[in-house]
Amino acid sequence: MSAVSVEPFLRYPRFEKPGFARSRRKAAITVTTAALFKSPSSFNCCCSLIPRRKLLSNASSFPFLDLHRVKTHTARASSTDTAVLESTNDVVFKETFPLSRTETTEGKIFVRLDQSKAKEKEDQWQQLTVGCSLPGKWILHWGVSYVDDTGSEWDQPPENMRPPGSIPVKDYAIETPLKKASEGDKFHQVKIEIDPKSPVAALNFVLKDEETGVWYQHKGRDFKVPLVDCSLDSGGGNVIGAKGGFSMWPGTMLSNMFLKADALASEGKDSSSRSKDPKQETRKVEGFYEELPIAKFAVIENSVTVSVSKCLKTAKNLLYLVTDLPGEVVVHWGVCRDDAKKWEIPAAPHPPETTVFKDKALRTVLQAKEDGNGRSGSFTLDGDLVGFLFVLKLNESTWLNCMGNDFYIPLPISSSLPALSGTGQSEVPPVSENTVGADQEVSHAIYTDGIINEIRSLVSDFSSEKRQKTKTKEAQESILQEIEKLAAEAYSIFRSSIPTFMDETALESEATEAPKICSGTGTGYEILLQGFNWESHKLGHWYMELKQKVEEISSLGFTVIWLPPPTESVSPEGYMPKDLYNLNSRYGNIDELKDLVKRFHGKGVKVLGDAVLNHRCAHYKNGNGVWNIFGGRLNWDDRAVVADDPHFQGRGNKSSGDNFHAAPNIDHSQEFVRKDLKEWLLWLRKEIGYDGWRLDFVRGFWGGYVKDYLDASEPYFAVGEYWDSLSYTYGEMDHNQDAHRQRIVDWINATSGTAGAFDVTTKGILHTTLERCEYWRLSDEKGKPPGVVGWWPSRAVTFIENHDTGSTQGHWRFPGGKEMQGYAYILTHPGTPAVFYDHIFSHYQSEIAALISLRNRNKIHCRSTVKITKAERDVYAAIIDEKVAVKIGPGHYEPPSGPYRWSSKIEGRNYKVWEAS
């Protein structure tokens, strides 16, 4: 069963204040603990609905509150609560976690066209009725198209068609509220009278629930109701009155509405199957009636509170869990003994109604509370346990977890508590943070010193006089290459095995640092345009085509343009290069390329070449019939191919990255390979005039080699394509994407910061944010942007689309219709924003140009500061450099009043930007 979209209603848990009563519809689990250990200072949690799948994987790392600093509270929710806690000391930690689940309300919509009863004229008027039985404040957003209309599909209807209460929307549409005809009426509906003499050919509409901001369309397009049968064929699958099903359009704001797959078949006549008389092209359509079921998701807000206390007599932990979730609630739980959070079954006794699940976990049915409000359970746990892990089960297909992870509740360790003397109670001394830190530093020092000493011994042994005499030069070079390769592998293993972190001090200094020119950042004020799409090669003269747009591109505010791969290539798009010095490609010849670069330079625009360094297609086969012998100026043999790709039988060293199996992967550890590639890059800089590089598939080789190439070619700007999958749990994207952005940061760091990288993390998070209306995702656990731009903004090249993800490939297309929200985000935030060719030369051009102008006007740069002021379910807002405020999402936001006066400058569909004055 597929996962159901859930929209969390709280981003951060908070402490319960005595006497605080929740008035909203929620459910709660309470964990209270007298834990005495050092831990991170934040505990961020949101819950989601997940399908029933494997639940016993190790819980991922989850920060928790520093429990020994928490003010104590005593639970007094009911007599049951009191009984549980009377024999213990006061509760010292109590946390409430938000839970969000959805309830489905089913209803129907209908569209009916019949003869009007309200107009008594010689010619019979028609009446179109649109109705919806779902609760809500429904608005019909509609317009018409006329017979032989060759212009816009939407126009405003004639005055005599507009029902009372209709409001014009600009010059192309009308909005009319749906109302119940009487108090007991099931449907909200609106009736539109249609003059038979009117030249109107069709009526177009969408439905909107004004209370939730949900739009309802038909198969990704507007509903179209034909009024004359000449418009039947032109409508496609969205025509009402023609046989066809209804489905969702992924590009609309429909995060909480769907159409059932088993939609009822049309009850009206199948108008698409009727034969048409060519002499009656504009014959009026006869009446019809269509009805189908729809469903609307309502987010129900609940919470769960967990409290833990330490019994000073038995040294056991007493955990109390309470929730106001309705119906039967099962806690699927286990314990762990260390930070690995591996699930175990604890020793008995267990709570009532507890069963063992596959010898890996326990399932306990929570008991109904005495007041009938929710359910609760008590758990007695040994004092040597480190944590309590659980998820909640509502039914076989609905589980509640914590942001895609298991709930993890830290427990106090018995050894951290003083022994009791008689019946008296001793004060519990706090753990010294300095002592803990010192112990960690000592253990880390021993570990790292051991590794360093081993490496030094290896180097000393290799460089000894005895070794120098007994080894040939070729053998020494071979060993050095292997050491270099091992260093790259060790670095990769080391970075992937340690916790993700960033130095806050370094980030703060970068934020205040003035922009400076280096290959990783340019000047810091760059705005990049990708100057092609996946189809550009088909023209055969793309360079000439682009030359006609040089002035326009410059006037739009772009400072850098990225051109397609220039070399001869097996694939016409250029990403399977063959002879690197042959620059006659499907995009044009070398002279056209040089002329284009010169034109851009004349307008002050820098040019990036697309350098494919990871792989190269061979010219000849070896003796085994394998393509791994190269021709042209760089006539390498199979020593230039990595040894661990079985497809191409290379004799080089093992790859320092991931293999690209469609072509021979180049072994960059070979000195002759690096020498040739550096000379080639320098030749491109001098001969063509490239200012920098977009580096393709940099996951395929170590970032240290990239540094070598950039140090040699000294580019003005360089950016790498480090493409990697984001983190998902139970099929849903995790909120915490630190591991993903850490891998990108690691690659940048391996280049010593000489290159930036495309911020794939931010793109992925924007996808889920906009598709699911979960704008809280745009703030990480520390209140900063969640992508690379939140950790290393000066090296983050932000984007929403490129030739792979969009264009005609569409491998990972940005949510349709929401592109401008994405651009409002990246063009107002730090990092170096990149705009896709297909977007700037489309109807989005004026909006994108306005955002670029605002960015330049306010001197926003790659290190600008971001203060996130709102990150909730339906709205995200931030203030950048205290000059610009931006909000995206359907929710409301206004910049705070204070020392600045904010004036609205740009506004579009679900986004708005202000400037300070």
Side-chain angles (χ1 to χ4, degrees):
M1 181 174 180
S2 60
V4 179
S5 172
V6 174
E7 298 169 350
F9 63 95
L10 288 176
R11 279 293 301 112
Y12 304 103
R14 53 176 177 73
F15 295 109
E16 295 275 22
K17 295 181 180 179
F20 179 85
R22 293 177 182 268
S23 59
R24 294 191 292 175
R25 192 177 178 188
K26 299 179 182 175
I29 302 178
T30 308
V31 185
T32 318
T33 173
L36 296 173
F37 50 85
K38 186 174 182 296
S39 63
S41 59
S42 63
F43 195 171
N44 299 337
C45 171
C46 270
C47 303
S48 61
L49 291 179
I50 55 174
R52 180 172 182 258
R53 296 186 183 176
K54 183 178 180 182
L55 295 171
L56 298 178
S57 58
N58 291 346
S60 60
S61 177
F62 198 79
F64 45 82
L65 286 164
D66 195 347
L67 301 179
H68 70 270
R69 299 186 178 203
V70 178
K71 185 176 179 181
T72 65
H73 298 282
T74 303
R76 303 295 183 198
S78 67
S79 58
T80 304
D81 302 349
T82 305
V84 170
L85 299 174
E86 272 181 351
S87 62
T88 72
N89 60 316
D90 283 348
V91 173
V92 294
F93 171 76
K94 185 176 183 178
E95 190 67 50
T96 298
F97 306 98
L99 303 172
S100 289
R101 58 192 178 86
T102 58
E103 285 187 354
T104 302
T105 305
E106 295 188 352
K108 296 180 179 180
I109 65 168
F110 74 86
V111 180
R112 180 175 61 234
L113 180 66
D114 53 17
Q115 290 191 352
S116 173
K117 300 177 182 178
K119 301 287 182 179
E120 300 194 1
K121 300 189 178 228
E122 184 177 346
D123 293 325
Q124 288 293 322
W125 284 52
Q126 289 180 305
Q127 184 180 76
L128 180 74
T129 306
V130 179
C132 180
S133 66
L134 288 175
K137 190 175 180 181
W138 290 96
I139 301 292
L140 188 74
H141 183 91
W142 63 289
V144 300
S145 54
Y146 291 95
V147 176
D148 299 327
D149 190 355
T150 57
S152 172
E153 187 177 352
W154 279 54
D155 285 300
Q156 286 190 346
E159 291 283 349
N160 61 358
M161 281 184 67
R162 305 179 188 183
S166 297
I167 300 173
V169 178
K170 297 184 178 178
D171 60 350
Y172 63 87
I174 294 290
E175 288 194 345
T176 305
L178 278 65
K179 298 179 180 179
K180 289 188 176 182
S182 62
E183 188 64 30
D185 199 350
K186 181 180 178 181
F187 284 89
H188 296 77
Q189 60 184 13
V190 62
K191 296 182 178 181
I192 300 172
E193 304 292 339
I194 302 168
D195 186 347
K197 298 179 181 179
S198 170
V200 172
L203 187 143
N204 312 289
F205 72 89
V206 294
L207 277 175
K208 177 184 178 184
D209 184 354
E210 201 167 58
E211 290 179 347
T212 62
V214 173
W215 292 82
Y216 174 53
Q217 289 186 298
H218 180 23
K219 292 190 175 181
R221 301 172 64 186
D222 311 324
F223 288 93
K224 182 170 184 177
V225 180
L227 302 178
V228 294
D229 56 5
C230 68
S231 61
L232 282 172
D233 292 338
S234 62
N238 63 329
V239 172
I240 302 299
K243 185 177 181 180
F246 286 68
S247 64
M248 286 302 297
W249 181 45
T252 54
M253 294 164 27
L254 299 174
S255 58
N256 62 341
M257 177 171 282
F258 71 98
L259 284 169
K260 294 174 65 177
D262 56 344
L264 296 178
S266 170
E267 295 181 17
K269 184 179 293 186
D270 182 1
S271 56
S272 65
S273 63
R274 295 178 297 178
S275 60
K276 293 178 61 176
D277 183 351
K279 296 180 180 180
Q280 296 179 345
E281 287 291 317
T282 59
R283 185 181 61 185
K284 292 292 181 180
V285 172
E286 299 296 333
F288 63 83
Y289 178 87
E290 284 204 12
E291 182 181 282
L292 67 157
I294 60 171
K296 179 179 178 181
F297 288 146
V299 177
I300 307 301
E301 300 171 348
N302 299 106
S303 62
V304 58
T305 305
V306 185
S307 58
V308 180
S309 59
K310 174 69 71 173
C311 179
L312 298 180
K313 293 182 179 179
T314 65
K316 289 185 179 290
N317 295 311
L318 302 179
L319 185 144
Y320 180 67
L321 183 150
V322 59
T323 176
D324 63 351
L325 284 165
E328 182 176 284
V329 179
V330 176
V331 181
H332 183 98
W333 64 283
V335 296
C336 60
R337 298 183 181 276
D338 52 39
D339 291 338
K341 300 181 179 66
K342 183 178 180 180
W343 284 59
E344 294 183 16
I345 295 179
H350 301 144
E353 294 193 54
T354 296
T355 58
V356 177
F357 178 77
K358 295 184 179 180
D359 296 326
K360 295 181 179 179
L362 297 172
R363 287 184 174 178
T364 300
V365 179
L366 295 181
Q367 304 299 306
K369 294 179 65 178
E370 289 183 1
D371 59 7
N373 245 346
R375 300 191 167 244
S376 63
S378 300
F379 304 80
T380 302
L381 307 168
D382 289 342
D384 60 345
L385 298 172
V386 170
F388 178 85
L389 305 116
F390 72 96
V391 293
L392 298 175
K393 175 187 173 186
L394 301 186
N395 53 55
E396 289 302 320
S397 61
T398 304
W399 299 73
L400 294 172
N401 66 7
C402 189
M403 292 292 299
N405 301 313
D406 305 325
F407 284 100
Y408 173 68
I409 307 302
L411 299 173
I413 307 298
S414 295
S415 60
S416 65
L417 292 172
L420 293 179
S421 175
T423 58
Q425 295 184 4
S426 303
E427 267 191 43
V428 180
V431 174
S432 168
E433 296 184 15
N434 293 333
T435 301
V436 175
D439 292 342
Q440 291 174 341
E441 288 178 9
V442 170
S443 63
H444 291 167
I446 293 173
Y447 177 71
T448 53
D449 285 349
I451 293 177
I452 292 170
N453 288 335
E454 288 183 18
I455 294 174
R456 284 174 177 165
S457 297
L458 175 63
V459 174
S460 298
D461 184 47
F462 174 74
S463 60
S464 66
E465 184 177 354
K466 181 179 179 181
R467 293 284 181 182
Q468 293 287 345
K469 291 179 180 179
T470 58
K471 296 290 183 181
T472 65
K473 181 178 179 181
E474 291 76 9
Q476 292 171 17
E477 287 182 351
S478 177
I479 294 172
L480 282 172
Q481 289 171 0
E482 187 63 21
I483 290 174
E484 185 179 49
K485 170 62 176 61
L486 289 172
E489 288 183 350
Y491 178 80
S492 176
I493 294 169
F494 171 72
R495 292 305 300 169
S496 64
S497 63
I498 63 173
T500 61
F501 68 92
M502 283 298 292
D503 187 342
E504 292 293 326
T505 305
L507 287 176
E508 291 300 325
S509 74
E510 172 163 298
T512 57
E513 184 183 349
K516 58 186 180 182
I517 297 179
C518 76
S519 58
T521 65
T523 65
Y525 293 97
E526 270 61 46
I527 300 176
L528 172 65
L529 171 66
Q530 179 175 359
F532 62 99
N533 61 30
W534 193 247
E535 301 296 310
S536 297
H537 67 91
K538 292 183 177 179
L539 282 177
H541 50 81
W542 184 250
Y543 297 147
M544 302 298 290
E545 178 77 13
L546 209 53
K547 189 166 72 171
Q548 307 304 316
K549 300 180 183 292
V550 168
E551 188 168 345
E552 182 180 5
I553 290 169
S554 172
S555 67
L556 288 169
F558 293 102
T559 62
V560 182
I561 187 167
W562 155 27
L563 296 183
T567 59
E568 175 197 19
S569 170
V570 172
S571 65
E573 297 83 11
Y575 289 99
M576 299 282 280
K578 193 174 181 182
D579 184 352
L580 298 187
Y581 279 90
N582 182 354
L583 301 191
N584 296 318
S585 70
R586 298 290 182 90
Y587 299 100
N589 60 44
I590 185 172
D591 293 328
E592 292 169 346
L593 174 59
K594 292 164 69 173
D595 187 36
L596 176 62
V597 172
K598 183 178 179 181
R599 289 290 185 95
F600 275 117
H601 286 168
K603 292 296 180 179
V605 179
K606 302 291 185 182
V607 180
L608 302 185
D610 202 327
V612 183
L613 303 178
N614 175 75
H615 51 272
R616 181 185 172 196
C617 292
H619 290 70
Y620 312 107
K621 296 179 182 180
N622 67 0
N624 296 327
V626 176
W627 292 90
N628 61 13
I629 307 298
F630 303 91
R633 184 165 165 180
L634 303 182
N635 54 347
W636 302 331
D637 60 17
D638 52 6
R639 291 176 302 150
V641 180
V642 298
D644 52 347
D645 184 351
H647 298 87
F648 297 102
Q649 299 180 7
R651 290 194 298 120
N653 296 310
K654 291 182 179 180
S655 175
S656 58
D658 296 334
N659 280 326
F660 177 77
H661 295 295
N665 287 255
I666 301 305
D667 178 14
H668 295 268
S669 70
Q670 302 283 6
E671 178 63 31
F672 73 89
V673 169
R674 292 202 304 277
K675 175 178 177 294
D676 285 348
L677 289 178
K678 286 185 282 189
E679 289 179 356
W680 177 64
L681 292 172
L682 283 168
W683 176 77
L684 289 175
R685 289 271 278 137
K686 181 179 179 180
E687 184 71 18
I688 306 302
Y690 284 129
D691 302 288
W693 317 112
R694 180 267 184 186
L695 301 169
D696 184 65
F697 198 76
V698 295
R699 277 182 59 187
F701 54 104
W702 182 40
Y705 300 133
V706 173
K707 179 183 185 302
D708 193 17
Y709 300 139
L710 299 185
D711 286 346
S713 59
E714 298 182 335
Y716 168 86
F717 187 84
V719 55
E721 179 207 28
Y722 192 96
W723 203 268
D724 198 6
S725 296
L726 280 79
S727 302
Y728 292 83
T729 303
Y730 306 113
E732 295 183 4
M733 181 182 287
D734 296 341
H735 173 237
N736 188 326
Q737 294 293 335
D738 287 355
H740 183 268
R741 58 176 167 175
Q742 185 71 56
R743 291 190 291 273
I744 299 176
V745 166
D746 289 344
W747 179 83
I748 301 171
N749 195 45
T751 74
S752 298
T754 55
F758 287 108
D759 193 347
V760 181
T761 315
T762 291
K763 174 177 168 63
I765 292 171
L766 281 170
H767 272 247
T768 300
T769 294
L770 301 181
E771 287 169 348
R772 299 167 63 96
C773 194
E774 293 176 346
Y775 290 83
W776 49 266
R777 290 181 178 273
L778 292 175
S779 176
D780 70 9
E781 294 174 352
K782 295 184 178 180
K784 295 189 175 183
V788 178
V789 72
W791 274 2
W792 205 345
S794 66
R795 300 307 192 272
V797 177
T798 53
F799 72 109
I800 71 168
E801 206 80 286
N802 64 26
H803 61 291
D804 287 321
T805 66
S807 191
T808 54
Q809 288 205 98
H811 290 322
W812 194 25
R813 198 178 302 281
F814 200 77
K818 301 182 181 181
E819 290 85 355
M820 284 313 305
Q821 288 188 65
Y823 282 122
Y825 182 88
I826 68 172
L827 286 170
T828 58
H829 280 56
T832 299
V835 177
F836 185 41
Y837 182 89
D838 289 4
H839 292 161
I840 195 62
F841 291 104
S842 73
H843 60 285
Y844 294 133
Q845 183 177 107
S846 60
E847 292 179 86
I848 294 173
L851 288 167
I852 292 174
S853 176
L854 180 138
R855 181 182 182 91
N856 289 333
R857 187 165 64 246
N858 289 277
K859 292 182 169 55
I860 296 174
H861 53 81
C862 67
R863 295 181 177 88
S864 289
T865 59
V866 177
K867 179 182 178 183
I868 297 175
T869 55
K870 201 169 187 179
E872 298 177 356
R873 182 186 66 82
D874 61 351
V875 65
Y876 165 87
I879 295 176
I880 298 88
D881 284 349
E882 298 184 349
K883 299 176 183 178
V884 171
V886 60
K887 82 96 179 178
I888 62 174
H892 176 74
Y893 173 78
E894 290 291 333
S897 58
Y900 304 105
R901 294 183 60 187
W902 296 97
S903 55
S904 175
K905 293 298 181 182
I906 306 171
E907 184 172 1
R909 183 180 178 187
N910 290 332
Y911 76 91
K912 192 172 183 179
V913 186
W914 297 261
E915 279 184 321
S917 58

